[in-house]
Amino acid sequence: MRDDRLRAHRLFLTDHLRKQTDFSRTAQNLGLTPPPVQIPAPLEARKVTLSTPDQWPDAMGRTPLIEAIAQRESRRRYSGEELNLVELSFLLWATQGIRKMLGQGTALRTVPSAGARHSFETYLFINRVVDLAPGLYRYLPLDHALVHVREVPDMESSLTRAAYGQKFLGRAAVTFVWACIPERMEWRYGLTAHRVILLDAGHVCQNLYLACEAVGAGTCAVAAYDQEEMDHLLGVDGEEEFAVYLAPVGKKGARGEE
């Protein structure tokens, strides 16, 4: 007999809730103000301005698309080489960069999102990036900048532990963690928001895979982690904001090199 729990969870993959949702009662249709596009940085926080596409070297990201797609794979071995800030700027722009603001709380980015709602905040555990001190940072897409959140003692072991012993996360040059703010999507879609939030996460991570190939780096999508431990590392509340997806990034290592 099929496990009833499996049957119940399979419903999450379907769109049945759309027929049961009264969209006239969503926050958007009630005229409520949409949540902001990004969490504001504290006034006293240290910011790092990132370079923009017009400032990048001509060769940046010029790998032919067909080549990037053909070479894309999950990479868990990284060299000890540092990323530089231009490369990190490119990866952040490719995954969450803003192309155009459409109005309060709504933006077109370099990745698709249901209703252009974009429910994610991008956190970075930075280990080896030229001219950046190790620690936890957050990407500010409106500013195309990083804000330093805090230092993380024993970052390698802390990340490894929070990812159920997956050591390659702690050894990466940078580990991307996308945290979700469900209200951004719920404002428009109500009960149907949560399925499309996770679809959006796939769009973001695939762009990271292709962008990494373009700068001689690699990544590996990770969905197995201790929720409470990871949320604690990020400093989020686990209810209104929580981790949903991870991706360590590093320069490609030789076979057998970790």
Side-chain angles (χ1 to χ4, degrees):
M1 181 180 295
R2 182 178 296 164
D3 189 327
D4 287 342
R5 292 173 300 175
L6 289 178
R7 185 187 296 274
H9 282 278
R10 282 182 181 181
L11 287 174
F12 178 75
L13 297 173
T14 72
D15 207 21
H16 288 307
L17 276 177
R18 191 170 300 274
K19 297 176 183 178
Q20 304 169 28
T21 300
D22 181 359
F23 287 98
S24 71
R25 303 301 301 169
T26 64
Q28 179 183 24
N29 284 318
L30 291 174
L32 301 180
T33 302
V37 168
Q38 72 182 23
I39 297 173
L43 292 177
E44 71 280 4
R46 187 168 77 248
K47 291 184 182 179
V48 179
T49 301
L50 300 170
S51 58
T52 53
D54 59 301
Q55 299 172 315
W56 295 338
D58 290 341
M60 174 63 67
R62 301 302 182 193
T63 300
L65 180 59
I66 191 169
E67 183 179 328
I69 292 174
Q71 292 180 352
R72 186 223 61 80
E73 64 180 69
S74 292
R75 304 182 189 275
R76 298 173 179 83
R77 294 186 174 93
Y78 313 116
S79 73
E81 185 180 350
E82 295 175 301
L83 289 175
N84 61 52
L85 263 178
V86 173
E87 292 168 333
L88 185 58
S89 298
F90 170 66
L91 297 180
L92 287 164
W93 173 84
T95 52
Q96 284 287 270
I98 290 180
R99 295 161 46 216
K100 182 181 180 181
M101 289 296 299
L102 296 181
Q104 187 177 10
T106 308
L108 295 178
R109 304 200 190 195
T110 53
V111 292
S113 174
R117 297 306 308 144
H118 299 283
S119 60
F120 305 122
E121 290 284 330
T122 303
Y123 290 86
L124 303 164
F125 289 97
I126 289 180
N127 188 22
R128 291 189 306 279
V129 175
V130 177
D131 295 330
L132 279 185
L136 177 63
Y137 294 74
R138 181 165 57 87
Y139 178 51
L140 304 174
L142 286 174
D143 309 274
H144 191 52
L146 291 175
V147 59
H148 181 260
V149 178
R150 63 181 178 87
E151 296 179 359
V152 182
D154 302 317
M155 186 161 57
E156 179 175 339
S157 60
S158 296
L159 268 175
T160 298
R161 183 173 60 253
Y164 293 129
Q166 298 179 86
K167 294 182 179 180
F168 63 96
L169 275 88
R171 295 172 178 170
V174 179
T175 293
F176 283 62
V177 180
W178 293 290
C180 172
I181 299 179
E183 185 189 6
R184 289 181 184 167
M185 194 68 76
E186 292 164 347
W187 176 83
R188 182 180 178 97
Y189 292 112
L191 286 175
T192 66
H194 312 111
R195 174 172 168 266
V196 292
I197 285 172
L198 293 187
L199 292 174
D200 283 0
H203 304 149
V204 173
C205 197
Q206 178 67 353
N207 263 29
L208 181 63
Y209 267 93
L210 298 179
C212 281
E213 292 297 328
V215 295
T219 189
C220 178
V222 174
Y225 54 89
D226 183 309
Q227 188 71 55
E228 291 79 12
E229 187 79 17
M230 190 61 66
D231 289 344
H232 177 71
L233 272 180
L234 295 177
V236 298
D237 64 12
E239 293 188 11
E240 299 303 320
E241 183 181 8
F242 46 85
V244 294
Y245 215 6
L246 287 65
V249 172
K251 289 291 188 173
K252 293 178 184 178
R255 288 193 178 276
E257 183 178 11
E258 293 192 16

